[in-house]
Amino acid sequence: MMLRTMTRADLDRALDWAAEEGWNPGLEDLDVFYDTDPEGFFCAELGGNMAAAISVVNHTDSLAFLGLYLCAPAYRGQGIAHALWLHALKHAGERTVGLDGVPAQQENYRKSGFVLAGQTKRYAGALRAGHGKGVTSASAADHPLLIEMERRSCGYAKPAFCAAWLEPEQTRYTLVHRSNGAADGFLTLRRCRDGWKIGPLCAPDLDVARALLEAAAQHSGDEQVMIDLPSGSAALAEHCLDMGLEPMFHTARMYRGPAPLPGPGLHAVATLELG
């Protein structure tokens, strides 16, 4: 067995695995994920075949995020994925490491020093169309403020990831809400292999969040949209239910090391893979 850093092509394959598991990656996730920390993606290889995958992406000197923990069916139950887990975690050094894991694996994560901090619940359905009053497309001049807004909302910085994530692409859009000319909320909407995902979303209150979602509906139309909400965004979760979005599943948000403290306002997770 060889444990090694992934190439970009390896990560492309891991995202295909994630799609097969129902994780539904975005169409243009690959480059942003990889470029955030090219040394933060790992795989186990046996006989020239990729057997397992994981990411431990270092966002700052104090925080990393773990995701894309996958094992090909033929290699499960042999300790391969666990060996890769231990190998990849070394990349984080002394950083706090966060993850969004399935609740069934919570006890295994606890054995590696992870402590439950809350949960993230996914809602899915068609957004309710509306005027999206006060919402426009983000400009490059908005990006520094939006990156800081996202940092305050979730409690930790992701500078390289957010800088790339906010760049407009053919299937990824960032929308900004302005009050009296000043940006006070935003969301990013991206097309996925099935429908769309929103993340992040940052808003000071439900009125701003509602306007952003109405504007996003102008892109998504009647297609399914998914949004991942931490437990601290109860008002936004209730609004999603009122719109007819249905809860799909939840993950356990856990940290190894001091957990960051989310800020006030409403927030949706950028991606379950990179936090």
Side-chain angles (χ1 to χ4, degrees):
M1 179 175 64
M2 178 186 298
L3 305 178
R4 61 173 177 81
T5 304
M6 284 192 204
T7 64
R8 191 181 295 260
D10 293 328
L11 179 56
D12 195 17
R13 185 176 182 190
L15 290 174
D16 286 340
W17 285 4
E20 292 167 6
E21 293 290 327
W23 295 7
N24 195 24
L27 297 185
E28 296 183 271
D29 287 356
L30 173 63
D31 287 343
V32 176
F33 283 12
Y34 189 80
D35 291 342
T36 295
D37 180 6
E39 302 300 315
F41 298 89
F42 305 89
C43 65
E45 185 179 289
L46 277 83
N49 297 316
M50 194 164 83
I54 194 171
S55 61
V56 178
V57 169
N58 292 339
H59 285 303
T60 66
D61 290 342
S62 60
L63 188 129
F65 206 86
L66 184 153
L68 288 173
Y69 188 38
L70 296 153
C71 188
Y75 299 100
R76 292 173 185 170
Q78 302 175 42
I80 295 168
H82 183 62
L84 183 63
W85 165 280
L86 296 175
H87 173 77
L89 276 172
K90 296 175 185 176
H91 181 64
E94 298 300 315
R95 295 171 177 84
T96 288
V97 182
L99 63 80
D100 276 305
V102 294
Q105 292 295 324
Q106 192 171 318
E107 183 57 35
N108 288 331
Y109 299 147
R110 189 176 288 116
K111 292 175 182 176
S112 291
F114 286 83
V115 176
L116 182 67
Q119 66 171 305
T120 302
K121 185 173 289 187
R122 174 166 294 178
Y123 295 83
L127 297 177
R128 184 181 299 161
H131 296 295
K133 185 177 179 181
V135 179
T136 62
S137 296
S139 69
D142 293 318
H143 290 183
L145 175 59
L146 303 187
I147 292 171
E148 174 60 18
M149 195 181 298
E150 206 272 343
R151 184 199 67 78
R152 292 197 305 265
S153 292
C154 70
Y156 55 92
K158 302 184 286 291
F161 170 81
C162 286
W165 200 244
L166 294 176
E167 288 294 328
E169 297 287 352
Q170 290 186 349
T171 65
R172 191 172 64 241
Y173 313 93
T174 296
L175 307 175
V176 178
H177 182 273
R178 304 179 197 277
S179 296
N180 300 318
D184 60 357
F186 79 99
L187 66 73
T188 298
L189 173 75
R190 75 193 198 276
R191 181 174 283 283
C192 297
R193 301 191 187 196
D194 178 19
W196 301 77
K197 285 182 182 174
I198 286 174
L201 180 151
C202 302
D205 54 46
L206 189 56
D207 287 341
V208 171
R210 184 184 295 113
L212 287 164
L213 292 171
E214 288 175 353
Q218 297 173 19
H219 291 279
S220 61
D222 294 331
E223 294 184 76
Q224 179 173 258
V225 175
M226 286 146 276
I227 183 168
D228 298 315
L229 299 180
S231 42
S233 291
L236 185 50
E238 187 64 31
H239 179 62
C240 287
L241 293 173
D242 289 343
M243 285 193 296
L245 275 64
E246 297 183 355
M248 294 181 67
F249 62 82
H250 72 273
T251 59
R253 172 58 68 95
M254 306 181 78
Y255 292 98
R256 188 188 73 174
L261 297 176
L266 302 173
H267 176 240
V269 174
T271 74
L272 295 184
E273 295 83 8
L274 269 72

